[in-house]
Amino acid sequence: MAEAEILELYELPYSDLKLLCLDNTCSSSTEEIKRFETVRTSVMENLGPGGPGLLSITSVPNASIHRRNLLPLARKLALLNPDDRKRLLKEHHLGSDVSLKNPERNVSSFAMQLRYKQGLESTQCKFSSRADDNVKDQDLGQLPDNEFKNLGNMFKELGFCMIELGLCLARICDKAIGGQELEQSLLESSVAKGRLIHYHSTLDSVVLKEAGRKGRSSKKKGNPKSDQGQCIRSEKQTECTNVDGDSDEAGISGTHSNLWQQWHYDYGVFTVLTDPFFILPYYSSESRGSDQGCPSPGGHTYLQILDPNKNKVRMVKSSPESFIIQVGESADILSKGKLRSTLHCVCRPTKLENLSRETFVVFLQPAWNKTFSISDYPTENCNLSGQGSGAPDEENPPVKLGANKLAEAIQKMIPPLSSRLNDGMTFAEFSHETTRQYYGGGGLQPNR
């Protein structure tokens, strides 16, 4: 199979994001005002129907330190003794939306609700100055035993910074579209979900399976129900027999061996992600390994999108330590099709079995009681009746996904928006129906 075409994201510097958000251009020169208009146009072109539906924010002050300190902890948490992990998660007010008891899992996710005030001033990218910030130059394998002591604080500080990025972008999009629908929907919610995610390497899976076998051997034997709900994995395919629990964003883990995370749309307004951190651990018979951070082996993020305008799968490339913001289905709906949600997955490298991927994600969503109106949603927008290419016209007809076998296969895994959304439906009802159609009963994707 041919490699996916590389998509280098449009980069919006943090300083420009803030200026555009605050519209602090009245004292600028004519040349600078023209530059801002060009930037605003580029933002909308990249997030709109003709673009990929995502962009990156660069040069965010101080954020790189917390990214490098927090992300490696994802793997350490995933491989911790379950009792120690449970205690740590409780201590730092974290939970999980995947089954951490399942040793066959591809992903470990640690989540927290992030509550923010109604105003951008409450979510500025300000980081406290701590002595342990100096670990940025240390060997990650030599961190002290109390490395988790600031886990909750780091989680919240980085999360609030990323919330600010999303709120600023919502305001910029509102100005371009007209109205305040996007920003207001987020401020009415005042809650986002942060997730620290570890995408398991093959060797991580071996460690977890071995730990699981040891745990089972210490329990009473002969319980015929003890293996129910476990996932049976072959080299080419994973099959789940018991689906329990919902995930907020469809597709939290992959169902094929070459995917860490299955194809899906996020159904919130914006998803804000850190540029991923990659780990190549060193294993020995005495240790689970030290965490050695490394650059991306492929030079990209391993995040893939389906570009319906080009009918191609594209591999996303972003600058190191930048933040990626992608459009969710709620933004698509609230903007009446002027923003385009991003169909995406996370693939895994086939020749680097000991490579793991760490990232931190913030999901910005409307209030649960937010009501969606689709009566004036453009009917020519193909995304309402399936996965399409935005707003077609006579000169630019919609691309038929059936013309491409890969795109056709991806389409079959995605429940059409029209089957999940009705006029007058609340965001809570929409999110529940989306999760049900992906995973529940006759859902199109297994949950792992």
Side-chain angles (χ1 to χ4, degrees), residues 168-310:
C168 284
L169 188 62
R171 182 176 292 183
I172 292 169
C173 291
D174 277 337
K175 289 178 181 178
I177 295 169
Q180 299 178 324
E181 188 76 21
L182 295 172
E183 183 186 6
Q184 194 59 38
S185 72
L186 297 179
L187 294 179
E188 288 172 356
S189 170
S190 294
V191 178
K193 173 170 275 190
R195 280 205 188 106
L196 180 63
I197 303 176
H198 169 63
Y199 295 90
H200 294 215
S201 69
T202 301
L203 291 178
D204 289 340
S205 299
V206 171
V207 170
L208 288 172
K209 290 175 187 176
E210 180 62 26
R213 280 194 290 269
K214 290 180 179 179
R216 286 194 296 273
S217 66
S218 64
K219 295 180 180 180
K220 187 181 296 185
K221 297 181 180 180
N223 183 357
K225 297 183 179 180
S226 62
D227 291 331
Q228 287 185 2
Q230 298 298 315
C231 294
I232 304 167
R233 182 174 186 267
S234 67
E235 289 187 4
K236 293 185 179 180
Q237 183 174 343
T238 302
E239 180 180 350
C240 288
T241 57
N242 182 28
V243 178
D244 56 348
D246 293 343
S247 66
D248 287 59
E249 299 300 326
I252 187 63
S253 56
T255 63
H256 298 287
S257 61
N258 67 329
L259 293 181
W260 266 316
Q261 187 178 42
Q262 189 54 267
W263 287 97
H264 67 285
Y265 288 97
D266 293 344
Y267 53 71
V269 174
F270 288 135
T271 303
V272 188
L273 313 91
T274 61
D275 183 68
F277 185 92
F278 295 93
I279 293 177
L280 278 171
Y282 170 75
Y283 282 86
S284 68
S285 57
E286 293 81 22
S287 170
R288 287 187 176 181
S290 61
D291 294 343
Q292 301 294 328
C294 69
S296 168
H300 49 69
T301 62
Y302 289 93
L303 172 68
Q304 289 187 337
I305 69 165
L306 178 62
D307 186 341
N309 297 300
K310 295 188 175 182

